[in-house]
Amino acid sequence: MSARSSRTIDARDAILGAFLLLASLVLMVMRFGGGLDAVRQGGVYLLSTLEQPLSTVRVYRQALRTNQFLQRQNVLLQDELSRLRSAEQQNQILRELLAFKGESDFDLIPARVVAKEMHEFNDFFTLNRGAEQGVMEGMPVVHPDGLVGHVTLVTGNYAQVMPYSHVLFRASVRVQSSRASGIVRRDPAESRYLRLEFIPRTIPIQVGQLIETSGNSLQYPPGIPVGTIHSILESDNDDTWLVLVDPHVPLNTLAEAFVIPFEPDPELMRLRQMRPGEP
Amino acid sequence: MNRSTFIRDVLVGLLMLIAQVGLFRHLTVFGAPPDLPFLFVMWVTARYGKVQALLAAFSMGLAHDALVDLWGMHAFSSTLIVLLAHRPITMLGKQTLLQWQSFLLILFVALTKNLVFLLLGGFIEAISVRGIFFEQLLAGALYTAVIGSFLQPIGRSS
């Protein structure tokens, strides 16, 4: 009796299970048939209602994620902006150099500063152009802003330059407006300025006047800007002015320069050597 | 089962369902959510007879399907598992079962249910399981088993 009852129960469970499975299958098949649309709409509405309170949390989480992403993007864009600004600056410098090269009467040799030794007592820097590119000792080195120095030593592909800030640097210059000539050298008291000497006091000078190479020394061609008069100093010498000149070319930031393939006229050189007392 | 017990059980089931669709559906592990409604079904199976368990599996599965628009899939897989594995699931109600044994039992049952659900979904092309089959199968079952093994002592004492 008990076994029969158990079998009946098992059969009932099996029939119920089969019925429920069949109902599930029918639902699965019918769900896109259109018959369940109203119920599906109800389900969607119910789910939306249940999810509504949690949407704020999701929005907040999404905002945090977006914020993190934007911060990362910001760093990347700042980096890119910085590189673009640097490239723009470099582009501007190169354009100026190109324009200067085009304007010059000389066939300028463009060079990049590859090494710089800016000590107080021994300033030198090295260019990446040498004898193979036509650079020779004594040639002037310039920048679009003005005079830099001259070449003192040359190898195959490099040249060492003595800049105007070197203690041994000397250049024959003139005041552009009056054509009064003098000599500039590094000022012993204030190394960022040049000292202009030997201009007679009979010639009036004033602050702001342009100083350029005179061409008298056979070292530099005439007309290369050197700087402007910064101040006129008190001097013990009653015959000549003592002037401080503010150089145009900032050596600390100098990265490119041109070598002027300038060689003095051989006849003038010979004449100079013929003078009494010249070696 | 008296009336108050029935109402309590229905409320527990609704709570599990709301927690599933409202919260745990988004708290996924390796992209897979746990299956709280099915844990409720196992709890009912362990406490009551097969008829009640089958009805609970079908109605809970159907309610779950209604909310996630998968009409019949959870209902079918839950009902099938209860029908086939009723006896092992009833062991969860026994006091002698250790927690790790409960964990393994829930894991096995959840794994089987997930397998049926995913194969069925793939077969009728109701869901796309390509590429996420094993994540959904294994991670989902493990997640369900972990939560189930924590909830099981509470369910046993109630």
Side-chain angles (χ1 to χ4, degrees):
Chain A
M1 184 69 183
S2 171
R4 191 175 170 184
S5 170
S6 173
R7 276 203 299 276
T8 309
I9 290 168
D10 285 347
R12 185 196 64 191
D13 292 347
I15 290 166
L16 178 66
F19 173 75
L20 294 176
L21 288 175
L22 189 67
S24 305
L25 285 171
V26 169
L27 279 172
M28 270 186 266
V29 174
M30 279 180 61
R31 68 191 183 117
F32 291 123
L36 286 174
D37 281 357
V39 192
R40 288 177 70 195
Q41 283 167 5
V44 171
Y45 173 76
L46 198 59
L47 180 68
S48 308
T49 311
L50 282 172
E51 293 237 301
Q52 187 73 28
L54 287 167
S55 62
T56 317
V57 178
R58 277 203 300 279
V59 167
Y60 178 70
R61 283 180 63 193
Q62 185 62 34
L64 284 177
R65 211 173 292 147
T66 309
N67 185 36
Q68 200 176 10
F69 172 75
L70 288 175
Q71 278 183 347
R72 196 177 295 128
Q73 287 294 102
N74 191 33
V75 170
L76 291 172
L77 287 172
Q78 285 286 357
D79 180 52
E80 193 174 339
L81 182 66
S82 169
R83 279 190 281 115
L84 283 173
R85 279 183 178 153
S86 173
E88 188 190 6
Q89 201 177 2
Q90 180 77 3
N91 190 15
Q92 185 66 28
I93 290 167
L94 292 174
R95 279 174 188 277
E96 284 172 13
L97 293 172
L98 209 58
F100 175 67
K101 190 174 187 300
E103 286 168 7
S104 176
D105 296 334
F106 296 98
D107 187 18
L108 300 177
I109 303 167
R112 190 176 290 275
V113 177
V114 291
K116 207 187 271 188
E117 293 174 46
M118 303 299 283
H119 308 297
E120 282 291 311
F121 52 92
N122 191 22
D123 291 352
F124 275 107
F125 59 83
T126 309
L127 300 177
N128 66 342
R129 292 288 184 273
E132 289 184 16
Q133 289 80 34
V135 178
M136 292 166 66
E137 278 181 28
M139 285 182 171
V141 178
V142 294
H143 183 267
D145 291 337
L147 183 71
V148 173
H150 65 267
V151 176
T152 52
L153 199 66
V154 179
T155 64
N157 290 299
Y158 295 99
Q160 194 181 53
V161 176
M162 178 194 283
Y164 62 72
S165 59
H166 195 277
V167 286
L168 297 177
F169 179 86
R170 302 285 186 279
S172 172
V173 295
R174 66 188 176 200
V175 181
Q176 192 188 43
S177 54
S178 63
R179 305 250 160 188
S181 295
I183 302 288
V184 286
R185 63 185 172 99
R186 173 177 141 156
D187 184 67
E190 287 195 75
S191 59
R192 67 193 182 98
Y193 293 116
L194 296 170
R195 177 175 286 199
L196 172 58
E197 295 169 310
F198 308 120
I199 292 185
R201 282 185 182 266
T202 51
I203 297 171
I205 56 168
Q206 56 187 353
V207 172
Q209 283 182 313
L210 183 71
I211 305 299
E212 61 182 18
T213 52
S214 65
N216 297 339
S217 66
L218 304 180
Q219 176 90 55
Y220 305 104
I224 301 172
V226 175
T228 48
I229 294 177
H230 175 263
S231 55
I232 299 160
L233 303 177
E234 293 295 325
S235 167
D236 296 338
N237 192 331
D238 292 339
D239 300 329
T240 58
W241 296 108
L242 189 56
V243 177
L244 275 190
V245 174
D246 191 6
H248 282 173
V249 180
L251 293 178
N252 287 328
T253 56
L254 186 75
E256 297 90 7
F258 290 97
V259 179
I260 301 178
F262 171 77
E263 290 176 77
D265 189 339
E267 201 173 328
L268 278 174
M269 291 294 285
R270 274 202 303 278
L271 185 65
R272 190 172 181 175
Q273 284 165 6
M274 284 164 67
R275 280 195 316 211
E278 289 290 331
Chain B
M1 185 194 296
N2 59 34
R3 194 173 172 178
S4 64
T5 313
F6 176 73
I7 292 169
R8 186 199 66 180
D9 292 351
V10 169
L11 286 176
V12 171
L14 279 175
L15 191 70
M16 295 290 253
L17 197 62
I18 291 167
Q20 172 72 25
V21 283
L23 187 66
F24 281 92
R25 199 157 61 98
H26 307 290
L27 295 178
T28 56
V29 173
F30 295 108
D35 195 347
L36 296 191
F38 189 64
L39 279 176
F40 173 75
V41 170
M42 283 198 263
W43 179 68
V44 170
T45 309
R47 286 171 66 90
Y48 303 111
K50 200 168 183 178
V51 173
Q52 288 93 331
L54 284 169
L55 288 172
F58 180 75
S59 52
M60 200 68 181
L62 193 63
H64 192 181
D65 286 334
L67 289 172
V68 293
D69 202 26
L70 286 171
W71 293 88
M73 283 180 57
H74 281 109
F76 184 90
S77 48
S78 297
T79 309
L80 187 68
I81 296 303
V82 169
L83 191 66
L84 298 177
H86 178 263
R87 196 178 295 275
I89 296 172
T90 53
M91 288 169 66
L92 285 170
K94 291 181 180 171
Q95 297 289 340
T96 51
L97 214 60
L98 297 172
Q99 193 165 15
W100 68 268
Q101 291 170 322
S102 302
F103 172 81
L104 283 181
L105 184 59
I106 296 169
L107 177 67
F108 176 74
V109 176
L111 205 62
T112 317
K113 193 256 176 181
N114 277 1
L115 186 66
V116 172
F117 177 80
L118 291 168
L119 288 175
L120 184 68
F123 180 68
I124 65 166
E125 296 179 345
I127 52 172
S128 174
V129 292
R130 187 171 295 174
I132 56 161
F133 185 86
F134 290 104
E135 285 92 334
Q136 293 289 321
L137 180 71
L138 299 173
L142 259 173
Y143 198 178
T144 307
V146 168
I147 292 177
S149 60
F150 278 107
L151 290 179
Q152 200 242 353
I154 303 167
R156 195 185 281 167
S157 62
S158 62

PDB file of all heavy atoms in Angstrom, chain B residues 60-73:
ATOM      1  N   MET B  60       9.477  31.168  -9.093  1.00  0.00           N
ATOM      2  CA  MET B  60      10.629  32.047  -8.869  1.00  0.00           C
ATOM      3  C   MET B  60      11.387  32.282 -10.185  1.00  0.00           C
ATOM      4  O   MET B  60      11.786  33.408 -10.481  1.00  0.00           O
ATOM      5  CB  MET B  60      11.549  31.372  -7.841  1.00  0.00           C
ATOM      6  CG  MET B  60      12.481  32.315  -7.164  1.00  0.00           C
ATOM      7  SD  MET B  60      11.567  33.443  -6.108  1.00  0.00           S
ATOM      8  CE  MET B  60      12.905  34.414  -5.510  1.00  0.00           C
ATOM      9  N   GLY B  61      11.556  31.176 -10.928  1.00  0.00           N
ATOM     10  CA  GLY B  61      12.233  31.300 -12.223  1.00  0.00           C
ATOM     11  C   GLY B  61      11.455  32.188 -13.166  1.00  0.00           C
ATOM     12  O   GLY B  61      12.015  33.045 -13.862  1.00  0.00           O
ATOM     13  N   LEU B  62      10.143  32.019 -13.142  1.00  0.00           N
ATOM     14  CA  LEU B  62       9.293  32.822 -14.031  1.00  0.00           C
ATOM     15  C   LEU B  62       9.348  34.307 -13.652  1.00  0.00           C
ATOM     16  O   LEU B  62       9.433  35.186 -14.529  1.00  0.00           O
ATOM     17  CB  LEU B  62       7.847  32.301 -13.957  1.00  0.00           C
ATOM     18  CG  LEU B  62       6.905  32.816 -15.038  1.00  0.00           C
ATOM     19  CD1 LEU B  62       7.376  32.362 -16.419  1.00  0.00           C
ATOM     20  CD2 LEU B  62       5.485  32.322 -14.783  1.00  0.00           C
ATOM     21  N   ALA B  63       9.298  34.571 -12.356  1.00  0.00           N
ATOM     22  CA  ALA B  63       9.370  35.964 -11.892  1.00  0.00           C
ATOM     23  C   ALA B  63      10.717  36.582 -12.296  1.00  0.00           C
ATOM     24  O   ALA B  63      10.787  37.728 -12.749  1.00  0.00           O
ATOM     25  CB  ALA B  63       9.197  36.010 -10.379  1.00  0.00           C
ATOM     26  N   HIS B  64      11.769  35.785 -12.126  1.00  0.00           N
ATOM     27  CA  HIS B  64      13.108  36.245 -12.519  1.00  0.00           C
ATOM     28  C   HIS B  64      13.144  36.520 -14.031  1.00  0.00           C
ATOM     29  O   HIS B  64      13.641  37.558 -14.479  1.00  0.00           O
ATOM     30  CB  HIS B  64      14.140  35.186 -12.129  1.00  0.00           C
ATOM     31  CG  HIS B  64      15.550  35.658 -12.218  1.00  0.00           C
ATOM     32  ND1 HIS B  64      16.624  34.854 -11.922  1.00  0.00           N
ATOM     33  CD2 HIS B  64      16.089  36.845 -12.585  1.00  0.00           C
ATOM     34  CE1 HIS B  64      17.735  35.528 -12.096  1.00  0.00           C
ATOM     35  NE2 HIS B  64      17.454  36.741 -12.501  1.00  0.00           N
ATOM     36  N   ASP B  65      12.580  35.585 -14.781  1.00  0.00           N
ATOM     37  CA  ASP B  65      12.531  35.749 -16.248  1.00  0.00           C
ATOM     38  C   ASP B  65      11.752  36.991 -16.652  1.00  0.00           C
ATOM     39  O   ASP B  65      12.148  37.723 -17.568  1.00  0.00           O
ATOM     40  CB  ASP B  65      11.849  34.528 -16.884  1.00  0.00           C
ATOM     41  CG  ASP B  65      12.751  33.316 -16.876  1.00  0.00           C
ATOM     42  OD1 ASP B  65      13.981  33.502 -16.861  1.00  0.00           O
ATOM     43  OD2 ASP B  65      12.222  32.185 -16.875  1.00  0.00           O
ATOM     44  N   ALA B  66      10.627  37.224 -15.932  1.00  0.00           N
ATOM     45  CA  ALA B  66       9.780  38.369 -16.275  1.00  0.00           C
ATOM     46  C   ALA B  66      10.544  39.674 -16.113  1.00  0.00           C
ATOM     47  O   ALA B  66      10.397  40.601 -16.901  1.00  0.00           O
ATOM     48  CB  ALA B  66       8.544  38.366 -15.386  1.00  0.00           C
ATOM     49  N   LEU B  67      11.383  39.710 -15.092  1.00  0.00           N
ATOM     50  CA  LEU B  67      12.105  40.954 -14.826  1.00  0.00           C
ATOM     51  C   LEU B  67      13.285  41.160 -15.783  1.00  0.00           C
ATOM     52  O   LEU B  67      13.672  42.288 -16.049  1.00  0.00           O
ATOM     53  CB  LEU B  67      12.607  40.967 -13.372  1.00  0.00           C
ATOM     54  CG  LEU B  67      11.483  41.127 -12.328  1.00  0.00           C
ATOM     55  CD1 LEU B  67      12.040  40.931 -10.922  1.00  0.00           C
ATOM     56  CD2 LEU B  67      10.829  42.492 -12.430  1.00  0.00           C
ATOM     57  N   VAL B  68      13.864  40.072 -16.247  1.00  0.00           N
ATOM     58  CA  VAL B  68      15.021  40.241 -17.150  1.00  0.00           C
ATOM     59  C   VAL B  68      14.666  39.862 -18.599  1.00  0.00           C
ATOM     60  O   VAL B  68      15.549  39.752 -19.440  1.00  0.00           O
ATOM     61  CB  VAL B  68      16.239  39.414 -16.649  1.00  0.00           C
ATOM     62  CG1 VAL B  68      16.767  39.970 -15.345  1.00  0.00           C
ATOM     63  CG2 VAL B  68      15.894  37.946 -16.508  1.00  0.00           C
ATOM     64  N   ASP B  69      13.403  39.690 -18.861  1.00  0.00           N
ATOM     65  CA  ASP B  69      12.884  39.428 -20.209  1.00  0.00           C
ATOM     66  C   ASP B  69      13.501  38.185 -20.854  1.00  0.00           C
ATOM     67  O   ASP B  69      13.927  38.201 -22.000  1.00  0.00           O
ATOM     68  CB  ASP B  69      13.096  40.647 -21.107  1.00  0.00           C
ATOM     69  CG  ASP B  69      12.144  40.641 -22.293  1.00  0.00           C
ATOM     70  OD1 ASP B  69      11.063  40.034 -22.167  1.00  0.00           O
ATOM     71  OD2 ASP B  69      12.487  41.226 -23.344  1.00  0.00           O
ATOM     72  N   LEU B  70      13.578  37.132 -20.053  1.00  0.00           N
ATOM     73  CA  LEU B  70      14.094  35.858 -20.583  1.00  0.00           C
ATOM     74  C   LEU B  70      13.033  34.781 -20.387  1.00  0.00           C
ATOM     75  O   LEU B  70      13.307  33.722 -19.861  1.00  0.00           O
ATOM     76  CB  LEU B  70      15.382  35.448 -19.850  1.00  0.00           C
ATOM     77  CG  LEU B  70      16.644  36.227 -20.199  1.00  0.00           C
ATOM     78  CD1 LEU B  70      17.762  35.847 -19.245  1.00  0.00           C
ATOM     79  CD2 LEU B  70      17.072  35.944 -21.629  1.00  0.00           C
ATOM     80  N   TRP B  71      11.885  35.032 -20.812  1.00  0.00           N
ATOM     81  CA  TRP B  71      10.703  34.231 -20.507  1.00  0.00           C
ATOM     82  C   TRP B  71      10.918  32.732 -20.644  1.00  0.00           C
ATOM     83  O   TRP B  71      11.159  32.234 -21.726  1.00  0.00           O
ATOM     84  CB  TRP B  71       9.551  34.688 -21.388  1.00  0.00           C
ATOM     85  CG  TRP B  71       9.142  36.070 -21.014  1.00  0.00           C
ATOM     86  CD1 TRP B  71       9.643  37.237 -21.495  1.00  0.00           C
ATOM     87  CD2 TRP B  71       8.208  36.424 -20.006  1.00  0.00           C
ATOM     88  NE1 TRP B  71       9.086  38.302 -20.859  1.00  0.00           N
ATOM     89  CE2 TRP B  71       8.178  37.829 -19.935  1.00  0.00           C
ATOM     90  CE3 TRP B  71       7.379  35.700 -19.141  1.00  0.00           C
ATOM     91  CZ2 TRP B  71       7.374  38.531 -19.052  1.00  0.00           C
ATOM     92  CZ3 TRP B  71       6.563  36.396 -18.273  1.00  0.00           C
ATOM     93  CH2 TRP B  71       6.565  37.805 -18.229  1.00  0.00           C
ATOM     94  N   GLY B  72      10.832  32.043 -19.501  1.00  0.00           N
ATOM     95  CA  GLY B  72      10.869  30.587 -19.494  1.00  0.00           C
ATOM     96  C   GLY B  72      12.232  29.975 -19.230  1.00  0.00           C
ATOM     97  O   GLY B  72      12.312  28.816 -18.840  1.00  0.00           O
ATOM     98  N   MET B  73      13.311  30.725 -19.414  1.00  0.00           N
ATOM     99  CA  MET B  73      14.630  30.100 -19.317  1.00  0.00           C
ATOM    100  C   MET B  73      15.040  29.757 -17.885  1.00  0.00           C
ATOM    101  O   MET B  73      15.495  28.662 -17.592  1.00  0.00           O
ATOM    102  CB  MET B  73      15.693  31.006 -19.968  1.00  0.00           C
ATOM    103  CG  MET B  73      15.642  30.910 -21.479  1.00  0.00           C
ATOM    104  SD  MET B  73      16.861  31.950 -22.236  1.00  0.00           S
ATOM    105  CE  MET B  73      18.336  31.344 -21.489  1.00  0.00           C
TER     106      MET B  73
END
